[in-house]
Structures are given as C-alpha cells and as structure tokens.
Amino acid sequence: MLINKERLKNLLIELIKIDSLSRKEYDVAMRLKREMEYLGATVIIDDAGERVGGNVGNLIARFSGTLPSARPLLLSAHMDTVVPGEGVLPILDGDILHSDGRTVLGGDDKSGVAIICEVLHVVRENNLPCSDIDVVFTICEEAGLIGAKCLDVSRLRARTGLVLDSDSVGFLFTKAPAANRIEFHVHGLEAHAGVCPEKGISAVQVAAEGIAQMKLGRIDHETTANIGLIQGGMAVNIVPNSVILKGEARSHSAEKLDRQTEHMRRCLEEAAARHTLALDGKRYQARVEAKIERDYDRMEVPDSAPIVQLVQAAAKNLNLDLKTLATGGGCDANILNQKGLEVANLSTGMRDIHTVKEWLDLNDLYLSAQMVLEIVKLNAAEKTVRSEE
Ligand SMILES: [Zn+2]
C-alpha cells in the first residue's frame, strides 16, 4: 500500500496557494471540509473562530473505522501560517519545494495537513482495516495555540495520537517546555525634559535598569527567557511616564520557570524602588505592574507511552531510525496533552520554518506520509491482536 506521491504533492501545492494567515483560515478550511467529506468523514467546524475573532473554527473530521474495538487515533495539524504568508508562489526545483523568497512557503503546517489527507485516501481506496480516526485541523496555532486552547476534546473519541508539525524526518518530539507570557507596565512621572526634568521619573530609564539586571536568553539547558517587545514614551522632549515590556520565559521544569519569571519581575521592581521623587510635599515612586500568564503547560510523553511505542514500531518496519526528542518550542500537542490526551509531535519534512527561506524536500514528505500510514495500520493491527487474547 503506497502513498500516491503525485496526489500528495499536488494537494500540498494547492493548499500552499490558499492564503490562511491566523484568523483567516476560512478558505483552506472549506477546501479541507470538502476533502474530508469526500473521504467519508463527518465534519464539524467548532466555535473557536468566533471565540478568537477569526473567520472560521477548528475543523473536526470523524472517520468511522472498520475495527470498532481498535483504539481510536487522533491525527492533527494546523491550518494557519505565519507572515509574510499571503500570495505564496510555490516553486519546485527538482524535489525541493520553496517560495519565491517574498513569503514563507507555508509547509508549516500544510505539509502536516496534506499528509493526513493522503493517508486517509490510501486507507479508503484500499479498504484498509482501521480504528476510528479523529482528524483535527486547528486554527491559530501560530497566534499562541489558541485554536487548540478552544478545542472541546470531549468531541473526540481518540485519547492518543499525533500532531504533525515539526521539521526533520526521523524525529518524534515528546517533550516541550511550559511557557509564561509576561507583560510589565513600568510607570514613571512625566515632565518637560528641558525645563524641569527633575520633576519627572523616566519610565524608560527604570525599564532599562531593570532589563540590564535580567538574565535573559539561554538560562540553562532547559530554560530560556526573552523580552521581545518594548513600547513607550511620547516625544523626545517629555520625560516618559510609561513603558510596556512584553516577553516570555520557557522551561522544561515548572520550578525553574517560576524562578525565572520571578527573577524578571524582581529586577524591575528593584529598579523602580530606586526611583523616587519628593515634589511639592508629595512623594512619587516609580512602579511596575506585572501581568503573568501561563501560556501553556509542558509536554512530557514518556518513551514507554503507547503512542511512542506505536511510532517506534512503524519506524522499524520502514527501516527508519527514529529518535524521541525535546524541543524548545510549543505546539498544539502541548495543549492537547494539557487537556488529558497523550499526543506527540511527528516531523513532516518542513525546514527553515518561519522564514522566507522555508523549504521542503518532497522525499521527506513522502517518507513522513509512509510513516503515518504505517502507524494507522499498526494501530489497527495491535488492537486486533489484543482483543483476540
Ligand atoms: Zn507549525
């Protein structure tokens, strides 16, 4: 039972040509709804679109398997792409697919979407025995996993499966960090910068002193931190009274994540404490408001988990050496695991993602599709054996 390479390639290219920035996935969702219904699924579009201000929700496609006793399997990928991602012109050089250099390719994550569709084509045209399969094509993964966050997993029969959303073939990502989204609002006191700067407290200076004390970047082998955005000030001749800093911290250890987040807050609070001013009998003090939110929890699927064992067995059948790995990034799998499912992230062949140099080797795409097909077949076979016991 082989993957139809031509069909897979053509679908990928067709999907890449459909614009689908986060919150604007409607066109690609309608194309996929058609595909899923043609393949025999019952399709639901959930209300995530309304909840996140997008033009369509998550697409949930339920396939009834021929083996009702087999363990249902989840296959998921995200429909949205990052900027610049409109009007993508895919170019094929031999087996290498890339954009024309103005936009990303969008193989992240249309390669995952196309692989899932192709595998289901093969299952259907060969009448392969298989379990129930739940397909979830999410929206807004790139906007902070918010499509997956809105997903009601009680709509799914599967409690285990795969997200197809990572790069080099031969890897299964089973561990990912937890992340905090961090926002600091530094308040100073405004004054005329030329006439009476002594009547002001510069929020820019407070922020700068605080940031200068912060450990940022790679903190240790499992922890990172970043201040990524800074906004503030009104004009060059006004002592600024407001600066907003936005950043994040990530760690594979919950304790280290808390410690790093607290460290960043303390650096700013200590800087603010050093800036006080007595003016007309009143006392002014720089201050910091901190807004800290858990963006997503860490993912940790053990090597002994059934889904990891299943993927390993499939890799072995294809003579592929598969390694489980930790990533520094978060993906929909973080959220699905947080919601009680057991989900790992399988690679699709996408490379240099989130850049206009993004490319994909079609041979990796075909191999990844072959892997997923093997996983679907083994998942069916495994349970059949077990129910005969
Ligand atoms: Zn992605």
Side-chain angles (χ1 to χ4, degrees), residues 17 45 58 71 79 90 151 176 234 237 239-240 332 338 358:
K17 287 180 177 167
I45 305 273
N58 299 307
R71 182 175 53 207
M79 296 186 283
L151 181 72
M234 302 278 285
N237 59 357
V239 176
D332 283 345
Q338 199 173 321
E358 184 187 347

Side-chain angles (χ1 to χ4, degrees), residues 172-314:
L172 181 69
F173 290 96
T174 52
K175 295 181 174 64
N180 280 346
R181 196 178 279 260
I182 300 171
E183 187 176 319
F184 297 115
H185 192 166
V186 181
H187 298 273
L189 182 66
E190 75 188 348
H192 193 295
V195 177
C196 53
E198 48 283 286
K199 291 186 178 175
I201 297 175
S202 167
V204 168
Q205 199 171 359
V206 174
E209 286 177 18
I211 293 169
Q213 294 303 313
M214 276 181 206
K215 283 179 278 175
L216 294 172
R218 177 159 298 286
I219 308 303
D220 62 32
H221 71 284
E222 56 181 357
T223 312
T224 58
N226 187 46
I227 297 286
L229 279 167
I230 175 162
Q231 287 170 311
M234 302 278 285
V236 291
N237 59 357
I238 302 173
V239 176
N241 71 353
S242 168
V243 168
I244 291 172
L245 305 173
K246 291 182 184 173
E248 59 158 41
R250 304 182 186 202
S251 183
H252 289 273
S253 147
E255 191 204 331
K256 285 179 180 174
L257 178 60
D258 287 348
R259 207 187 307 151
Q260 172 63 23
T261 306
E262 196 43 43
H263 157 76
M264 292 164 79
R265 183 217 304 261
R266 207 171 337 105
C267 286
L268 278 171
E269 282 176 351
E270 284 170 6
R274 289 193 292 271
H275 289 261
T276 60
L277 185 66
L279 201 62
D280 307 326
K282 268 171 100 177
R283 194 175 165 76
Y284 295 90
Q285 169 79 59
R287 63 190 173 84
V288 180
E289 272 176 88
K291 216 162 76 186
I292 292 158
E293 274 170 25
R294 177 58 54 90
D295 203 4
Y296 45 83
D297 282 341
R298 100 197 142 110
M299 139 174 158
E300 189 164 22
V301 181
D303 282 358
S304 60
I307 185 65
V308 180
Q309 296 290 314
L310 185 65
V311 176
Q312 286 289 11

Side-chain angles (χ1 to χ4, degrees), residues 77-78 80-82 107-110 141-142 145 163-166 330-332 345 350 353-354:
H78 65 88
D80 61 319
T81 59
V82 293
D108 175 10
D109 188 22
K110 283 167 179 166
E141 193 269 352
E142 305 287 6
L145 319 178
V163 163
L164 280 84
D165 189 16
S166 50
C331 75
D332 283 345
N345 181 352
M350 56 170 102
I353 58 165
H354 296 201

